Amino acid sequence: MKYSEMLIPTLKEVPSEAEVVSHQLMLRAGIIRKVAAGVYTFLPLGSRILKKIEAIIREEMNRSGAQELLMPALQPAELWQESGRWGEYGPEMIRLKDRNGRDFCLGPTHEELITEIVRNEIRSYKQLPITLYQIQPKFRDEIRPRFGVMRAREFIMKDAYSFDLDEEGLKVSYQKMFDAYSRILKRCGLEFRAVEASSGLIGGKKSQEFMVIAESGEDIIFYCPKCNYAANIELAQGENKVILEENILPMKKIATPGKSSVEEVANFLNVSPGKLVKTLIYQTEKGLLGVLIPGDRAANETKIALSLDLKELHLLKEEDFTKYNLIPGFVGPIGLNDIKLVADKNVKKMRNFVVGANEKDAHFINTNIDIDFKVESFDDFTFVKLGDLCTNCKVELKEMRGIEVGHVFQLGKKYSEAMKAYFSDQKGELKPFVMGCYGIGVTRLMAAIIEQSHDQYGIIWPFSVAPFQIVILPLLTDSLEQKKRSEKFYHELERLGLEILYDDREVTPGVKFADADLIGIPLQIIIGKKLNQGRVEIKLRKTNEKFEISADDVVKKCREIVQKELEKLGDKSG
Ligand code: ATP
Ligand code: MG
């Protein structure tokens, strides 16, 4: 492409609305423009990058044996009512009515639709396994759209769905997708890690997220530096380091006038917050639930809901406390007769702790489980924190931040059972399909690549996803010789199948350099005064390495560099 003919509206200033680097650079490099909160246009440069990323994804999906299809964004409510998610999804789903008053949504994901297709079209075990995928826009009315396309309300996802005879088959299909995802991210030049994750509204038992490691990431990951364990903080498990070897003391009631928060009580009694046990009262579909957790830890509602198989879980509102004779700030496990009590596993190790006395301005000290009160069960109900140990190898866990770019799930029979999607097995019996689903955020991936690959001058695209692999920069606009030579390079390199941007604009060398660096083309051919001695310069954007070579060698050299760099990224086709 000739630069003069292409719409690349670069900006000098950093746009004030952009908080993270990728968002700033996507605006500045003329890749995207905002239409509404969380809704973006991809300008020509952006569109080219998207196509490159999509091509990598497509190749790896096809290589894994998955087949591409294309489902609509507009989906009838009936399918979602069958799975039960029309009610569950909440305000993140964009709902609308057609002219006849029928309910529809703009698909936030496609489990229902794919299950509908497969239950109609696939009847026999002989047609299994099968994995289907699409690359298509998704709609989610995010509560807080931000960071540009990173958390958008309309975004592009590659979603795939596998259908198997049984759990064994599912594991094989899942592993194929897992491997394909690893290859995709490697080819995009990313440093990433797969971590255990919670399945959320999508459902199923096992799921893993692919995290691109970045300081700006919204997700927190805990990992063990010794074994392979890594998990999203939503789910990460650890063990309390300190085990108190204390003799059990008799429980005693203490006046704590006006001291209700953990901090106030701990200060007042001159103990650490870890000496207290908080009693949190939740409202659930199975009635009230009391959860005991150490004073220095935060409750993890994902874990609580998963462990106790709860759909609804809300902290009891303070105005409802009196209904159950509860006193805000002084709730404790002793005397809570009508409330089911469970405790975080860390509480099991605690001795002589402090709890609320269920009476205003009073706490019990020296409380002990099984002596002063009982709980129905223990499990992991809290978030891990720094200082916790890996449950496998007892080494301290470490923390890092990541951007979730992909998520793979072993769904099992959740959708096939709810939507009566059956096939007939070898014996002719009807069985529900065993499903998996797999998503990669294509547009989020673009932002994640920039987060990991940029410098103060702009983006540094890996060769595999760059909108153009090479930019040709003739520095003197009035030199016919430079112009001719540029055009020769341009045509010869394009003929080799390389992607070239030829900066034919009548602007100063400074502007050309700044734009080339900003939009991040990985290889630059700089044609300057030395052309009359037959010499030109080539520069690698990433390392800033420059070499002067004979103009006659440019085409060969550039081709070699592009091929070598693509091979480094694990691209065999390049
Ligand atoms: P998050 O926790 O970030 O909201 P999610 O768990 O809702 O993500 P999935 O439903 O697993 O996401 O969707 C699959 C992939 O789609 C994600 O891994 C992410 O890359 C992408 N994605 C999800 N929500 C958005 C969004 N609002 N904007 C851009 N990409 C998104
Ligand atoms: Mg989400």
Side-chain angles (χ1 to χ4, degrees):
M1 266 317 273
K2 287 187 174 162
Y3 203 130
S4 65
E5 290 168 6
M6 202 171 162
L7 177 64
I8 311 178
T10 56
L11 309 171
K12 279 212 185 68
E13 304 297 318
V14 178
S16 59
E17 82 256 31
E19 290 168 70
V20 292
V21 163
S22 56
H23 188 195
Q24 291 168 359
L25 287 174
M26 286 173 98
L27 289 167
R28 284 190 56 211
I31 292 172
I32 55 166
R33 286 295 180 264
K34 180 173 160 182
V35 176
V39 182
Y40 289 87
T41 293
F42 285 82
L43 295 172
L45 216 48
S47 172
R48 286 185 72 98
I49 304 158
L50 262 183
K51 293 282 173 303
K52 299 282 294 266
I53 298 176
E54 287 177 6
I56 292 176
I57 294 176
R58 224 173 235 120
E59 265 178 47
E60 294 302 340
M61 284 294 116
N62 296 345
R63 182 172 301 176
S64 78
Q67 299 172 46
E68 186 167 4
L69 82 175
L70 183 59
M71 292 181 271
L74 193 63
Q75 304 185 14
E78 288 80 6
L79 291 175
W80 290 79
Q81 281 152 354
E82 271 190 65
S83 73
R85 286 206 294 181
W86 187 255
E88 278 173 25
Y89 224 98
E92 206 172 286
M93 183 188 262
I94 297 183
R95 296 161 208 254
L96 57 155
K97 285 189 193 296
D98 72 4
R99 63 172 74 204
N100 300 313
R102 270 185 72 188
D103 285 313
F104 283 84
C105 71
L106 293 177
T109 175
H110 280 68
E111 283 78 16
E112 282 75 1
L113 223 103
I114 196 83
T115 306
E116 152 79 355
I117 290 160
V118 168
R119 76 177 165 187
N120 291 336
E121 308 305 330
I122 296 189
R123 295 287 151 84
S124 158
Y125 73 95
K126 288 182 194 150
Q127 295 166 282
L128 298 176
I130 189 168
T131 298
L132 299 161
Y133 78 95
Q134 62 173 350
I135 300 177
Q136 184 260 14
K138 296 279 181 281
F139 298 83
R140 295 184 184 177
D141 199 355
E142 296 278 353
I143 208 169
R144 219 148 85 80
R146 59 183 187 151
F147 302 158
V149 300
M150 196 88 88
R151 183 166 297 285
R153 296 197 295 167
E154 176 178 341
F155 57 96
I156 296 174
M157 197 201 283
K158 184 290 301 173
D159 44 329
Y161 306 88
S162 65
F163 295 82
D164 273 280
L165 300 174
D166 51 26
E167 292 286 334
E168 283 308 298
L170 167 59
K171 281 187 193 139
V172 175
S173 300
Y174 181 88
Q175 189 60 40
K176 279 189 188 162
M177 282 293 127
F178 187 95
D179 294 343
Y181 275 35
S182 304
R183 292 195 300 268
I184 290 165
L185 300 187
K186 177 164 187 277
R187 285 180 62 181
C188 290
L190 289 162
E191 195 194 335
F192 66 95
R193 179 147 196 175
V195 309
E196 286 176 23
S198 106
S199 300
L201 260 185
I202 305 279
K205 284 193 203 91
K206 180 183 165 95
S207 89
Q208 284 166 293
E209 289 167 340
F210 284 83
M211 292 286 183
V212 167
I213 295 147
E215 262 314 300
S216 59
E218 288 186 285
D219 285 277
I220 298 174
I221 301 149
F222 275 81
Y223 66 98
C224 171
K226 198 168 163 205
C227 70
N228 223 358
Y229 181 72
N232 192 311
I233 190 169
E234 288 171 342
L235 222 68
Q237 296 186 341
E239 264 176 34
N240 204 336
K241 199 173 1 185
V242 230
I243 301 175
L244 299 171
E245 296 292 348
E246 288 180 29
N247 291 330
I248 286 176
L249 300 171
M251 186 175 84
K252 197 167 142 198
K253 195 190 282 176
I254 298 269
T256 49
K259 312 291 179 207
S260 60
S261 72
V262 167
E263 215 189 345
E264 287 166 348
V265 177
N267 280 341
F268 182 74
L269 298 175
N270 202 15
V271 294
S272 72
K275 194 74 184 159
L276 273 66
V277 167
K278 292 187 270 193
T279 308
L280 303 174
I281 307 291
Y282 285 98
Q283 235 161 353
T284 78
E285 77 270 22
K286 298 180 185 165
L288 286 191
L289 171 74
V291 183
L292 302 183
I293 65 171
D296 59 351
R297 284 180 181 270
N300 182 327
E301 291 170 8
T302 307
K303 288 182 180 175
I304 301 173
L306 268 178
S307 165
L308 303 172
D309 195 20
L310 296 168
K311 286 209 170 62
E312 278 168 47
L313 185 74
H314 310 286
L315 273 177
L316 186 68
K317 291 197 194 89
E318 265 201 35
E319 58 258 37
D320 293 331
F321 271 49
T322 44
K323 251 198 264 175
Y324 303 102
N325 294 322
L326 296 168
I327 296 146
F330 298 92
V331 179
I334 296 158
L336 280 190
N337 297 329
D338 304 329
I339 297 179
K340 175 184 163 107
L341 273 186
V342 295
D344 181 52
K345 62 176 195 205
N346 289 302
V347 175
K348 202 173 190 172
K349 297 182 188 167
M350 294 171 67
R351 299 274 177 279
N352 304 324
F353 49 83
V354 181
V355 296
N358 289 321
E359 133 182 358
K360 193 155 173 50
D361 296 337
H363 279 79
F364 285 118
I365 61 164
N366 300 336
T367 316
N368 287 285
I369 282 191
D370 285 339
I371 296 172
D372 304 306
F373 68 95
K374 289 204 181 327
V375 295
E376 283 189 28
S377 60
F378 291 94
D379 203 347
D380 181 6
F381 294 135
T382 52
F383 283 100
V384 282
K385 52 178 197 156
L386 281 178
D388 282 357
L389 306 179
C390 170
T391 47
N392 303 324
C393 43
K394 317 294 173 202
V395 169
E396 249 184 59
L397 292 170
K398 286 190 182 311
E399 190 190 58
M400 65 184 178
R401 299 190 79 92
I403 302 166
E404 179 204 318
V405 292
H407 201 165
V408 291
F409 299 77
Q410 292 185 10
L411 288 174
K413 300 171 192 161
K414 171 173 168 164
Y415 295 91
S416 49
E417 275 176 349
M419 296 179 65
K420 303 193 173 57
Y422 303 124
F423 65 94
S424 59
D425 71 2
Q426 275 111 320
K427 292 182 208 137
E429 281 170 29
L430 287 182
K431 293 259 170 70
F433 294 98
V434 181
M435 292 171 56
C437 77
Y438 317 90
I440 276 196
V442 181
T443 40
R444 184 181 285 183
L445 199 55
M446 190 191 295
I449 294 169
I450 300 175
E451 286 295 326
Q452 265 192 5
S453 189
H454 66 268
D455 62 14
Q456 75 258 45
Y457 305 110
I459 302 168
I460 307 170
W461 290 112
F463 277 84
S464 53
V465 296
F468 297 96
Q469 295 157 336
I470 302 171
V471 59
I472 302 173
L473 303 169
L475 301 184
L476 286 179
T477 49
D478 52 4
S479 158
L480 194 63
E481 196 198 359
Q482 288 190 14
K483 186 174 173 201
K484 271 196 180 149
R485 192 51 83 112
S486 299
E487 286 184 357
K488 187 164 177 281
F489 288 156
Y490 175 45
H491 294 305
E492 287 181 10
L493 289 164
E494 280 217 317
R495 222 173 293 136
L496 292 175
L498 297 169
E499 295 151 354
I500 316 298
L501 181 64
Y502 163 31
D503 195 345
D504 60 338
R505 294 175 302 167
E506 302 214 338
V507 294
T508 62
V511 170
K512 287 189 182 178
F513 285 135
D515 281 339
D517 282 350
L518 175 61
I519 64 181
I521 311 301
L523 184 58
Q524 303 178 354
I525 303 174
I526 302 159
I527 303 169
K529 282 204 191 98
K530 281 202 174 165
L531 182 65
N532 52 28
Q533 300 159 31
R535 313 288 291 169
V536 299
E537 209 172 47
I538 56 179
K539 180 183 132 180
L540 279 167
R541 172 75 181 85
K542 186 170 174 179
T543 53
N544 218 7
E545 275 170 280
K546 280 185 198 159
F547 8 8
E548 203 187 88
I549 57 172
S550 157
D552 297 334
D553 295 337
V554 163
V555 172
K556 191 167 150 259
K557 185 76 189 160
C558 286
R559 182 194 197 174
E560 262 172 38
I561 292 176
V562 173
Q563 264 174 356
K564 203 176 88 208
E565 292 295 325
L566 284 176
E567 271 164 27
K568 264 197 227 164
L569 292 164
D571 186 318
K572 294 183 185 65
S573 58

